[in-house]
Amino acid sequence: MKTNDFSSSTSPSDRRIGALFRHLTAGTDADRVSSVFASPTSGGAGGSVFAHLVQAPEDAILGYLPTFSFSFSFSFDVTVAYNKDPSPIKLNLGVGAYRTEEGKPLVLNVVRKAEQQLVSDRSRIKEYLPIVGLGEFNKLSAKLILGADSPAIRENRVTTVECLSGTGSLRVGGEFLARHYHQKTIYIPQPTWGNHPKIFTLAGLFTRRPWCCPQGSIVLLHACAHNPTGVDPTLEQWEQIRKLMRSKGLMPFFDSAYQGFASGSLDTDAKPIRMFVADGGECLVAQSYAKNMGLYGERVGALSIVCKAADVAGRVESQLKLVIRPMYSNPPIHGASIVAVILRDRNLFNEWTLELKGMADRIISMRKQLFEALRARGTPGDWTHIIKQIGMFTFTGLNPAQVSYMTKEYHIYMTSDGRISMAGLSSKTVPHLADAIHAVVTKAL
Ligand code: PLA
């Protein structure tokens, strides 16, 4: 049967194919179309229409591994090398994900309890959430970051939407600004988390380093535990930054990915944001529960936009929905429900703060142990920054050649800028890292 004989067939499926064929060939030369269907260059049996694609580079941090662990890769080959690395001493200090003293990922006890509550509640359903996410989660998230007594919350001047973790919150906030804010450039720190420029560029903003921001520009600020440097302004310096920014009408966009991880206290780490909110001005805040609740893979976070008046906040929310709906429609229910259970229950909340402090303290003790280990080895250089820096990362100062040497000779994986995740270290692995650092700085590389 020739392709266009389908219409004369008595079979319903043949007739449907015939109708489809007539539809596709309407106004064209049927023979030419049938030859296109059979063309080896059309993606059928022959070459792929995607054959021209080049292999994209692996992500610098998540450069993917099939097991629970992730590693940095300079290139695809390095990731493959890590995967294949049979060494029992290999050490992954790439991604900022918390590990126990045994080197294992940690699910917090409070998270297990909250999940237990959720699964045993038979009244829970799996319907779509509203476009802005779980209402209770949004309210509690705003309180967590802005403070329970925040006047902005009391006066209904804050709109909060659940987003896909910190990254999703930055992306939604970025697109909202690109559509509705009068300036289209966001000034981002140098250095900063490698994903920032990509997120904001795809959201429709221009990204620049923070030199001479013109009046009214958007400025991205790491709320605490700056990634990758681990260097935060003091509260006095934050106050100077606040005054300067307000005097130039700059719009602060806070990235809060590590609340609780810097000092061990949720309130202390939120102080810079609260200073900006207390002056009555506007700002955006992207919150993540990946690190502080260990909910990495649940992708749970929130975007809050603090406005000057309640009616403005209402209209802002209506426009945020127009950003979210065509992007992913509405956010997932499970992670946000876990957070809501923990934040609403005083006992669980208190238990969470203790577990969080435990993680922060373990990281601080890793800093001390690494510093001491380098001192004991007489490693040349001033390593006090290891104990002075804050949060998950130490920005060691090692250069890409040194990093590469450590990977090759010591099976230690980290980002090429010399950032190491202190959360990936343990008392057992500190000596190995110290040996590697000592060897690499006493070698001429
Ligand atoms: N903002 C900063 C400053 C971050 O460091 C990270 C995560 C995020 C936002 C986003 O986190 P989330 O979307 O998972 O909530 N940075 C990690 C992981 C921990 C990563 O690169 O994705 C890092 O290793 O730098």
Side-chain angles (χ1 to χ4, degrees), residues 223-375:
C224 68
H226 182 275
N227 176 9
T229 64
V231 180
D232 285 350
T234 62
L235 283 183
E236 291 71 36
Q237 288 166 336
W238 271 117
E239 179 54 16
Q240 285 170 10
I241 295 169
R242 187 193 65 76
K243 280 195 188 132
L244 181 71
M245 285 187 61
R246 291 309 195 199
S247 73
K248 292 190 77 181
L250 303 174
M251 174 60 94
F253 192 161
F254 284 99
D255 181 357
S256 177
Y258 299 95
Q259 188 185 2
F261 257 94
S263 66
S265 153
L266 289 158
D267 286 326
T268 304
D269 289 356
K271 270 190 186 149
I273 296 175
R274 293 179 190 176
M275 281 163 60
F276 276 76
V277 175
D279 68 15
E282 290 168 308
C283 68
L284 288 84
V285 185
Q287 261 172 288
S288 166
Y289 289 96
K291 272 69 72 174
N292 59 14
M293 253 187 220
L295 293 175
Y296 306 89
E298 293 292 352
R299 311 308 295 144
V300 51
L303 171 73
S304 288
I305 303 189
V306 180
C307 306
K308 287 191 176 168
D311 62 320
V312 179
R315 294 200 296 279
V316 164
E317 180 161 315
S318 72
Q319 291 294 337
L320 282 171
K321 288 190 209 169
L322 299 189
V323 173
I324 294 167
R325 173 66 168 145
M327 201 190 282
Y328 53 86
S329 191
N330 52 80
I333 196 166
H334 188 66
S337 304
I338 296 171
V339 174
V341 167
I342 294 170
L343 297 186
R344 87 159 82 101
D345 181 305
R346 180 149 293 282
N347 291 332
L348 289 181
F349 182 87
N350 289 340
E351 201 177 322
W352 174 44
T353 58
L354 293 178
E355 286 192 83
L356 179 57
K357 176 96 172 51
M359 290 193 281
D361 284 350
R362 200 186 81 72
I363 294 171
I364 291 168
S365 104
M366 287 305 108
R367 290 187 180 284
K368 289 187 185 135
Q369 288 184 33
L370 180 60
F371 176 71
E372 289 305 332
L374 290 173
R375 206 159 59 172

Side-chain angles (χ1 to χ4, degrees), residues 26-155:
T28 63
D29 170 353
D31 283 341
R32 191 168 54 77
V33 172
S34 44
S35 75
V36 167
F37 277 129
S39 161
T41 57
S42 66
S48 166
V49 293
F50 300 117
H52 61 287
L53 294 192
V54 294
Q55 180 73 39
E58 287 292 327
D59 182 82
I61 296 171
L62 294 188
Y64 223 82
L65 292 171
T67 60
F68 76 75
S69 46
F70 299 97
S71 104
F72 165 74
S73 68
F74 313 101
S75 70
F76 187 62
D77 289 343
V78 177
T79 302
V80 171
Y82 180 88
N83 268 326
K84 287 187 183 156
D85 189 345
S87 168
I89 54 160
K90 70 176 173 180
L91 185 56
N92 187 358
L93 305 175
V95 70
Y98 186 81
R99 299 283 176 259
T100 62
E101 260 292 299
E102 291 70 45
K104 297 273 186 304
L106 178 69
V107 179
L108 299 186
N109 243 321
V110 274
V111 167
R112 297 257 190 235
K113 284 186 188 171
E115 283 192 313
Q116 211 43 262
Q117 267 190 37
L118 292 171
V119 287
S120 52
D121 179 355
R122 303 290 298 176
S123 71
R124 283 185 54 79
I125 47 169
K126 300 281 187 190
E127 291 291 288
Y128 290 131
L129 284 180
I131 295 169
V132 294
L134 194 66
E136 189 191 12
F137 163 86
N138 290 338
K139 284 206 180 82
L140 293 166
S141 294
K143 278 190 182 169
L144 185 74
I145 195 74
L146 304 182
D149 54 352
S150 167
I153 296 179
R154 235 185 300 119
E155 293 156 15

